[in-house]
Amino acid sequence: MAISPSLIETQHLVKRYGDKIAVNDVSLKVDAGEIFGFLGPNGAGKTTTIKMIVGLLRPTSGSVQVSGFDVQAQPLLAKAASGYVPDESNLYPKLTARELLRFVGDLYGMVPQQVERRIEELLRLFDLAETGDDTIDSYSHGMKQKTALAAALVHDPRVLVLDEPTVGLDPKSARLIKDILRQMAERGAAVFLSTHILEIAERMCDRIGIINQGRLVAVGTMEDLRALGKDGAQDSLEDIFLGLTGGAEYAEIAEVLR
Amino acid sequence: MSDSLRVQSVPASLWPAVWKLLRLRGLILLSGFRRARLKRKIGIVVLSLILLSFLGFVFFISWALLRFLRSPQLVQFAGDVTPVLESMPSLILGGAFLGILLTSFGVLLQALYLAGDMDFLLSAPLPIRAVFVTKLLQAILPNFGLICAFSLPVLFGLGASSGYNALYYPFVLLALSALTLAAAGLASLLVMAVVRVFPARRVAEVLGFVGAVASFLFSQTGQFARFGNVNQGQATLALRSLERFNNPWSPLAWAGRGLVDLGEGHWVAGFGYLTLSIGLAALIFGLALTTAERLYYTGWAGMQSIRRKKKTLKATRSTASGALGAGAARLIPPAMRAIVVKDSFVLRRDLRNMSQLVTPLILGIVYAIMFLRSGGQPPPGRGEAPAWFMEAARNLLVYGNVGISLFVGWMLIARLGGMGFSQEGRSYWLLKTAPVSAGQLLAAKFSVAFLPALALGWIFLLGITLLQRAGLSILLFTLPVVALCVAGSAGLNLAFGVVGANLDWDDPRHMQRGSSSCLGALVSILYLPLSLLLFFGPPLLFTTLGWPEPGGQLAGLLLGGAFSLTCAVLPLWLVRKRVLVLGEG
């Protein structure tokens, strides 16, 4: 295993579907203790990239390393180090939250007593203690999302990958998630999250990557990205994002709706 | 916003809105056909032609059969069957009404409350009644088509063979349509009333389970009937009992009686009965329509605000282990155990799965009773079979308990093994992102299919052996035979299940897709007799040759065991790499 501070590293990542290139030569690194925001318009390749990082999709070419392990060559070690929250939770509807967390704990080979302790902590933390024995099909969207996050945290991963984690959450739950992510980063974990809410990316993330039409068009801190903008330090992330991903059409739409 | 974008007209009255919605549905259908692949288009056209030919065939058969029933020779044998024939329209129309009423409940529940476009339709500026009527028509049209396909040719055939006048034919269609609308209206009232009390989704689950089990039970109870023993008196009595459906006091018989009277030229009685019948149908449909405005909307709105009743479950770690047995749980790696326990919860709790799992049990019980009733003896036939053949058949039937046990196990495996991976559905990402190898996944899914099938197979085997009072040596031989056969079948079904896995479904009853699951069932059907031949061939041969039977049983276990274990392991080894790319399509 190579000694590297980077817990997530993609090298020349490419994913093709027939003639269509969904992800084109994406190389990025996320270090321990860092929150990395991954932005891009709809269909830019965010979810495809994320799915390759967590091992849900095989890259056409290029490689992904998680916690120093190649996701294709050493998938079990890479997966054991990471936790994942998808954009749509899709949890087993006929399991209770408690059973789901126990199931995930067992999948990750945790000691039973440790799993039980962790389940109680997480259910309390996410305000699910009272509903922990109800089946998931009776949950609201927000509760399902929180259950998915709890499932990703059961084994206390070193790498956390989240696809649109705050969609459908109330402000209290969204704030809770932001606090948890910050705490995890402070404890040395790498957090990789995609979001459409630029305010979250601007305030939470240490570094931001912007993907457009499958290509990574910018990576860096807010200062690095501002340097790319027209007005330098005056630019907001929204201006930078629209400038890099082509925002002219939005102005036209606004004109039509006026 | 510019004025040119303002809405021109909103269909405020009922029928223009219904027309608009029906036209939209037609457009979707047409567009689906236009965009379909050429192969599918040809298939649809061919299927339509086959259906038309079938209708013509049923009409011809009905006409010929009904003429035959009126023939003087038959009248001499069975008596005058004219009253029976005249009761046929009442019987068919009554049956159609009850059939539509029963089947419409589930279809309307789905169409009125669980369809994906309800939010869109009810938030659009359309009368609620229009949405209700459109959904109602859309839901009952397939059933109506099916009923027409079977009843129209028979009713028309009756008209042709009885020489009814021309008015009979359009009124058949009118009566059938009116009764269908009345049945659907009644069913919709029932649905609207039930949904106000119980969550629609839960009702659909319970209905699916009860419907599947009941229809299966009804279809299988026919196995107990001994039609060969029916005498002429019983047949005549059964035929005459049909006339009771033609009671003038029964509203269900009015339409049928009216049609016969109309066909025979009794105009007053014919029009009287038909007016009564169609008027009553219109009244029921009108009641459903007027009630729909209030009941339908409040029921639907209630679904949005009231979450389904929570089902609180107490599932401690000990009960989870209990699903496997504490001893077995310790032997199995945690990830495998987790998957087995998870699957046992998921399968048990979804009633839609349960209906598929209960089927083998019902079939097993039916066939076990039939087997025990035969006393384990081969049917004597006409007595011309040679003695050695009857002896061999008798020896083979000693192992008949294995056949039934395997049949039960095989049916369960086809569901649990063949759909082992498909049943993960969209939740498969949880397994795919977890540190679980393909081997562990396959082993876990194999256990999920093998263990319940083995348990059920052994229960049947023990039960039948005890009731048959078969010897201990037979039991000791057949227990491993069942276990090994079930293992081979589980391996084959699971492997084909991996190849044809479908993870994109909403209803567990729709998870089966493609030809690989059928192929899996077919291969395992071929596998079972082959493995049984290897297991039972040597002991039967040893008995025939007068050699000691235990030697033959040992040889059978070695031969059949090797074959079964190969079938359990080899197909899974071949598909292990496919497991790694599941869900990436």
Side-chain angles (χ1 to χ4, degrees):
Chain A
M1 184 179 132
I3 298 166
S4 162
S6 297
L7 288 179
I8 302 174
E9 188 171 351
T10 71
Q11 286 174 339
H12 308 292
L13 207 54
V14 175
K15 182 69 188 178
R16 284 174 196 272
Y17 292 104
D19 293 338
K20 191 179 180 275
I21 304 177
V23 173
N24 192 0
D25 197 27
V26 168
S27 298
L28 55 83
K29 284 182 182 179
V30 183
D31 293 337
E34 190 178 35
I35 300 180
F36 185 88
F38 199 46
L39 312 179
N42 293 332
K46 296 189 298 292
T47 299
T48 308
T49 307
I50 284 177
K51 283 185 172 177
M52 287 192 281
I53 291 173
V54 296
L56 280 174
L57 280 179
R58 286 171 171 238
T60 307
S61 63
S63 66
V64 183
Q65 289 204 330
V66 168
S67 197
F69 302 108
D70 188 298
V71 174
Q72 294 310 309
Q74 301 155 292
L76 301 190
L77 292 170
K79 286 174 182 178
S82 60
Y84 168 57
V85 182
D87 51 348
E88 285 175 44
S89 46
N90 284 327
L91 305 168
Y92 298 104
K94 294 293 175 189
L95 289 188
T96 67
R98 201 178 293 279
E99 286 165 354
L100 181 90
L101 297 185
R102 192 173 293 139
F103 168 62
V104 174
D106 283 343
L107 285 183
Y108 282 81
M110 291 172 72
V111 179
Q113 292 78 2
Q114 200 185 359
V115 177
E116 294 305 318
R117 201 175 53 240
R118 192 81 178 130
I119 289 171
E120 294 313 318
E121 277 172 19
L122 288 166
L123 289 180
R124 236 190 349 263
L125 182 69
F126 286 108
D127 221 3
L128 293 168
E130 276 186 28
T131 50
D133 290 320
D134 296 343
T135 49
I136 290 170
D137 57 1
S138 67
Y139 286 9
S140 67
H141 174 79
M143 289 164 80
K144 284 179 188 166
Q145 194 72 6
K146 286 194 282 187
T147 309
L149 189 65
L153 295 174
V154 166
H155 61 293
D156 197 15
R158 289 190 71 201
V159 172
L160 190 59
V161 181
L162 309 100
D163 198 353
E164 303 279 355
T166 53
V167 170
L169 291 182
D170 59 61
K172 188 183 160 198
S173 305
R175 175 62 188 266
L176 175 69
I177 287 181
K178 285 186 243 175
D179 289 346
I180 290 170
L181 299 186
R182 178 47 61 200
Q183 277 174 24
M184 287 197 67
E186 281 167 7
R187 281 166 43 206
V191 179
F192 185 104
L193 73 109
S194 82
T195 180
H196 278 299
I197 305 169
L198 299 180
E199 185 249 332
I200 289 181
E202 194 165 0
R203 289 177 60 173
M204 274 187 68
C205 299
D206 301 306
R207 282 192 311 130
I208 289 165
I210 298 176
I211 186 169
N212 189 34
Q213 292 177 344
R215 282 189 172 276
L216 198 61
V217 289
V219 191
T221 60
M222 269 308 292
E223 285 68 38
D224 295 336
L225 295 180
R226 281 197 182 104
L228 295 169
K230 279 186 286 187
D231 298 326
Q234 300 302 314
D235 276 347
S236 68
L237 183 57
E238 188 179 7
D239 296 328
I240 300 163
F241 179 84
L242 293 177
L244 288 167
T245 59
E249 64 267 33
Y250 298 112
E252 281 173 25
I253 292 165
E255 186 62 36
V256 170
L257 294 171
R258 197 173 293 150
Chain B
M1 201 184 284
S2 64
D3 285 345
S4 61
L5 284 176
R6 285 190 196 289
V7 177
Q8 295 296 320
S9 68
V10 174
S13 52
L14 175 64
W15 297 109
V18 169
W19 170 241
K20 197 166 257 192
L21 289 172
L22 283 177
R23 209 179 50 185
L24 176 74
R25 186 55 52 187
L27 215 68
I28 292 169
L29 259 172
L30 202 69
S31 158
F33 180 75
R34 269 195 207 136
R35 291 182 184 179
R37 288 180 179 174
L38 186 67
K39 209 165 74 177
R40 190 173 162 76
K41 280 182 191 170
I42 294 171
I44 291 171
V45 173
V46 170
L47 208 69
S48 309
L49 288 174
I50 290 174
L51 192 70
L52 277 176
S53 323
F54 174 72
L55 293 185
F57 176 71
V58 174
F59 170 76
F60 175 74
I61 287 285
S62 309
W63 174 76
L65 200 70
L66 293 168
R67 271 175 69 93
F68 170 68
L69 283 175
R70 286 175 192 279
S71 65
Q73 292 88 344
L74 200 76
V75 169
Q76 272 185 343
F77 175 72
D80 185 15
V81 288
T82 311
V84 175
L85 292 181
E86 284 182 350
S87 68
M88 271 185 66
S90 299
L91 198 68
I92 291 173
L93 291 174
F97 178 86
L98 291 175
I100 293 266
L101 184 70
L102 283 174
T103 53
S104 292
F105 186 87
V107 179
L108 283 169
L109 181 73
Q110 198 70 32
L112 292 173
Y113 291 98
L114 302 172
D117 58 354
M118 290 311 297
D119 290 9
F120 168 71
L121 289 176
L122 288 179
S123 61
L126 292 163
I128 303 262
R129 280 186 199 176
V131 177
F132 171 78
V133 171
T134 315
K135 286 277 170 194
L136 190 107
L137 290 177
Q138 208 180 303
I140 60 166
L141 269 177
N143 280 358
F144 179 64
L146 210 65
I147 295 253
C148 279
F150 285 100
S151 56
L152 275 186
V154 180
L155 288 171
F156 283 4
L158 177 75
S161 68
S162 307
Y164 288 163
N165 67 58
L167 259 185
Y168 167 83
Y169 300 95
F171 271 93
V172 163
L173 199 62
L174 187 68
L176 204 59
S177 309
L179 286 177
T180 302
L181 277 181
L186 212 58
S188 74
L189 281 173
L190 268 173
V191 168
M192 287 187 286
V194 167
V195 166
R196 285 176 77 88
V197 185
F198 302 103
R201 222 166 281 279
R202 190 65 185 161
V203 175
E205 282 178 20
V206 173
L207 198 72
F209 176 70
V210 173
V213 172
S215 56
F216 198 73
L217 268 174
F218 283 129
S219 70
Q220 290 306 313
T221 43
Q223 302 275 2
F224 294 119
R226 287 171 167 163
F227 292 111
N229 299 342
V230 176
N231 57 37
Q232 190 192 337
Q234 285 171 320
T236 313
L237 195 70
L239 213 59
R240 295 286 172 219
S241 67
L242 295 179
E243 291 171 36
R244 288 183 202 159
F245 289 96
N246 206 15
N247 187 330
W249 296 106
S250 159
L252 276 179
W254 291 345
R257 290 181 78 90
L259 284 172
V260 172
D261 284 340
L262 205 66
E264 289 174 350
H266 307 133
W267 307 114
V268 178
F271 279 116
Y273 274 129
L274 280 170
T275 310
L276 260 177
S277 170
I278 293 171
L280 190 65
L283 195 76
I284 294 172
F285 187 68
L287 181 72
L289 206 62
T290 45
T291 325
E293 186 89 73
R294 202 162 47 85
L295 265 181
Y296 182 34
Y297 183 69
T298 49
W300 182 81
M303 274 176 63
Q304 313 305 305
S305 57
I306 305 163
R307 280 219 324 265
R308 59 183 299 171
K309 197 180 168 189
K310 287 176 187 170
K311 193 177 179 183
T312 303
L313 303 157
K314 277 280 163 218
T316 58
R317 180 164 281 279
S318 59
T319 59
S321 298
L324 275 177
R330 270 194 296 274
L331 294 172
I332 303 172
M336 258 180 73
R337 188 181 61 217
I339 295 168
V340 175
V341 172
K342 184 268 293 173
D343 277 0
S344 78
F345 285 153
V346 169
L347 285 166
R348 269 185 301 166
R349 287 179 190 162
D350 198 329
L351 279 177
R352 294 168 300 180
N353 283 323
M354 284 307 285
S355 61
Q356 294 171 339
L357 296 175
V358 167
T359 310
L361 202 66
I362 297 171
L363 263 184
I365 291 169
V366 169
Y367 286 108
I369 291 173
M370 283 169 65
F371 175 70
L372 290 169
R373 216 162 61 163
S374 75
Q377 292 296 316
R382 289 179 187 171
E384 75 271 30
W388 67 266
F389 179 83
M390 293 305 286
E391 183 58 30
R394 211 165 288 123
N395 285 338
L396 191 65
L397 275 177
V398 170
Y399 301 115
N401 51 1
V402 173
I404 290 169
S405 311
L406 280 180
F407 177 67
V408 174
W410 171 77
M411 282 195 72
L412 197 61
I413 278 174
R415 167 63 183 83
L416 294 176
M419 287 175 240
F421 278 86
S422 293
Q423 79 183 28
E424 291 296 326
R426 295 188 189 120
S427 308
Y428 186 64
W429 68 268
L430 272 159
L431 288 179
K432 190 148 174 146
T433 55
V436 183
S437 68
Q440 280 178 313
L441 259 176
L442 282 168
K445 289 292 179 185
F446 179 86
S447 310
V448 171
F450 175 68
L451 294 175
L454 177 68
L456 197 65
W458 272 0
I459 287 170
F460 267 87
L461 186 71
L462 283 169
I464 297 169
T465 309
L466 281 174
L467 288 170
Q468 264 190 316
R469 292 181 189 149
L472 185 67
S473 67
I474 289 177
L475 182 68
L476 288 177
F477 171 57
T478 49
L479 279 172
V481 168
V482 168
L484 288 163
C485 275
V486 166
S489 186
L492 284 167
N493 273 289
L494 187 58
F496 278 98
V498 169
V499 175
N502 168 25
L503 303 171
D504 192 23
W505 48 262
D506 291 311
D507 188 328
R509 288 167 296 189
H510 302 153
M511 68 174 78
Q512 202 164 10
R513 187 181 64 179
S515 51
S516 53
S517 52
C518 294
L519 205 63
L522 209 69
V523 169
S524 63
I525 287 174
L526 293 175
Y527 151 79
L528 278 180
L530 203 60
S531 64
L532 286 180
L533 184 75
L534 292 170
F535 276 116
F536 295 134
L540 286 174
L541 189 73
F542 272 49
T543 314
T544 312
L545 295 174
W547 295 347
E549 196 180 4
Q553 289 176 340
L554 189 67
L557 275 179
L558 286 173
L559 270 175
F563 177 66
S564 296
L565 287 176
T566 307
C567 288
V569 178
L570 186 66
L572 296 180
W573 185 79
L574 290 173
V575 297
R576 73 198 187 285
K577 283 189 177 162
R578 187 129 187 162
V579 173
L580 297 173
V581 292
L582 271 188
E584 292 187 21

